[in-house]
Amino acid sequence: MLKTVRYDGANLIILDQSRLPGEISFEICRTVEDVAEAIIRLKVRGAPLIGVTASYGLALGIIKYQGSVLDRDLYFQRIKNILASTRPTAVNLFWALQRMEDIYKQSGDLSTPELGRLLMSEAEQMFAEDIKINEAIGEYGQELLHKDSRVMTICNAGALATCGYGTALGVIRSAYQRGKIEQVWACETRPVLQGSRLTVWELLQDRIPVTLITDSMAGYTMKLGKVDAVITGADRIAANGDTANKIGTYTLAVLAHQHDIPFYVAAPLSTIDREIDNGDLIPIEERPAEEVRQIFGINATVPEVNVFNPAFDITPHDLIDAIITQQGIIKPPYLNRL
Ligand code: MRU
């Protein structure tokens, strides 16, 4: 699998996910602003990857900093704010930036080049840790599936959304290695099609059997008895287990409940926001209307129509049968267990 983000010794090299699967191309980010723009435009996306990329961005900003050491704290805050203001929902972004700031504050009197190296090595470490975390999530999560399971997912919570292996797709990968996956149902995930463009591409590369459906086909597919479990990723999990994830996840959870199908969320602990009591308090990103009005730049409607385009929704905790983390499976009640 291609590396989603890396530092080449001078710049950040980002796999441009907005062009997949038609084109495999890489974006060179030379500045913090370039990194922020790549996150806003979904060239890099997925909660864990947004966090790690922003960390690389902070390190890059310090490496390229030409100002005096006296002004460096202010500059650090400025670039941290640029990165923090890219996308509001995935808490991994704020978690990762905080981790970088903690390293910055503990670093003492380092020269700017030394500080840059320190922060870059922290970002590299986060990248490596994320893969291990996902492998652990996969190991735990596969226990929830029986032989020949047919699993539905939405969006892309795979290697592309992380530093490798994936969360929801990590569970599917681990289960597939044990002969537990007969079929993955990938919901296409309108408006920007992370399911059809990214999840399908990623699974087919690993030869994991996948069938694409449009989002509105999920209920009927369940009704036909063709789904054994639903597994999704998460962008933020409140203290009570309410979970923000890609728009359409809530619909899947309601449908799964209606059809007695278990609904699982797979996410690293950095996705849990203990400061937020419940899902109503999670900020939901609203994205440009053009994403809904158009498909691949072609009008799909009357160009001036009003559009509502929330990028995420909240699945209430009582519709979630388990939350799979790198430290094990959490079952309800979530409040104190999370
Ligand atoms: O808008 P996106 O593509 O960043 O949304 C991604 C998701 O909703 C994923 O399910 C979530 O971030 C988990 S990724 C491991």
Side-chain angles (χ1 to χ4, degrees):
M1 181 54 69
L2 298 161
K3 255 194 161 180
T4 43
V5 59
R6 72 188 167 85
Y7 178 58
D8 72 354
N11 300 301
L12 285 195
I13 310 296
I14 281 169
L15 173 63
D16 183 350
Q17 300 191 26
S18 67
R19 293 177 180 273
L20 288 173
E23 196 183 307
I24 296 174
S25 63
F26 293 88
E27 173 96 352
I28 302 173
C29 296
R30 297 184 170 81
T31 64
V32 172
E33 286 77 9
D34 289 349
V35 178
E37 192 64 13
I39 295 173
I40 290 168
R41 295 193 178 275
L42 308 184
K43 293 180 177 187
V44 262
R45 30 72 47 202
L49 185 60
I50 292 170
V52 173
T53 304
S55 302
Y56 273 108
L58 263 188
L60 184 76
I62 293 296
I63 286 173
K64 302 222 170 174
Y65 179 62
Q66 305 278 341
S68 83
V69 173
L70 283 179
D71 296 334
R72 209 171 58 191
D73 287 0
L74 264 180
Y75 172 76
F76 183 88
Q77 286 309 323
R78 191 174 76 74
I79 59 174
K80 185 185 154 210
N81 288 340
I82 290 173
L83 292 161
S85 61
T86 51
R87 298 193 71 191
T89 305
V91 75
N92 311 62
L93 170 62
F94 309 102
W95 171 87
L97 291 174
Q98 189 55 52
R99 176 165 158 178
M100 295 297 276
E101 185 168 2
D102 292 346
I103 296 288
Y104 179 86
K105 286 190 171 150
Q106 290 155 19
S107 64
D109 295 331
L110 294 183
S111 69
T112 300
E114 285 168 337
L115 182 63
R117 280 195 291 277
L118 178 72
L119 293 177
M120 192 51 84
S121 84
E122 186 69 13
E124 303 276 12
Q125 195 176 318
M126 255 186 233
F127 186 97
E129 276 173 18
D130 186 63
I131 299 173
K132 294 256 170 298
I133 287 169
N134 295 334
E135 287 169 351
I137 289 172
E139 264 313 290
Y140 282 117
Q142 60 80 22
E143 289 170 17
L144 294 167
L145 299 176
H146 56 69
K147 195 173 170 323
D148 296 331
S149 288
R150 296 151 310 164
V151 178
M152 187 173 281
T153 190
I154 189 165
C155 195
N156 171 265
L160 289 167
T162 60
C163 302
Y165 206 68
T167 56
L169 295 195
V171 173
I172 287 169
R173 282 197 163 88
S174 296
Y176 180 70
Q177 284 155 16
R178 290 171 172 78
K180 291 183 171 185
I181 298 289
E182 181 187 304
Q183 176 73 249
V184 178
W185 293 104
C187 296
E188 72 171 351
T189 321
R190 266 289 273 155
V192 292
L193 304 175
Q194 291 94 331
S196 55
R197 293 189 303 104
L198 308 177
T199 292
V200 165
W201 185 73
E202 192 181 317
L203 290 177
L204 287 180
Q205 285 200 344
D206 279 3
R207 297 178 195 282
I208 298 176
V210 55
T211 301
L212 176 65
I213 55 171
T214 68
D215 303 336
S216 52
M217 295 169 189
Y220 182 59
T221 310
M222 290 183 192
K223 173 88 174 139
L224 290 176
K226 290 175 179 288
V227 183
D228 299 302
V230 179
I231 309 180
T232 75
D235 284 81
R236 194 185 294 226
I237 302 173
N240 70 346
D242 291 353
T243 293
N245 191 50
K246 180 51 57 195
I247 192 75
T249 303
Y250 169 53
T251 316
L252 286 191
V254 173
L255 287 169
H257 184 72
Q258 169 72 15
H259 294 93
D260 249 328
I261 296 167
F263 181 93
Y264 303 125
V265 169
L269 294 171
S270 54
T271 307
I272 299 170
D273 185 352
R274 294 174 190 81
E275 315 261 295
I276 279 190
D277 290 343
N278 62 68
D280 293 344
L281 302 167
I282 298 177
I284 298 292
E285 176 184 9
E286 276 190 45
R287 294 197 49 89
E290 291 314 308
E291 288 183 351
V292 177
R293 291 196 188 118
Q294 302 184 336
I295 302 177
F296 299 125
I298 295 170
N299 280 340
T301 182
V302 181
E304 56 273 14
V305 69
N306 283 335
V307 162
F308 177 46
N309 184 17
F312 302 97
D313 59 26
I314 306 290
T315 299
H317 59 91
D318 53 359
L319 294 179
I320 301 171
D321 292 287
I323 297 175
I324 308 156
T325 74
Q326 70 268 37
Q327 284 183 16
I329 294 168
I330 308 170
K331 294 248 171 106
Y334 296 113
L335 200 53
N336 294 319
R337 299 186 181 170
L338 281 173

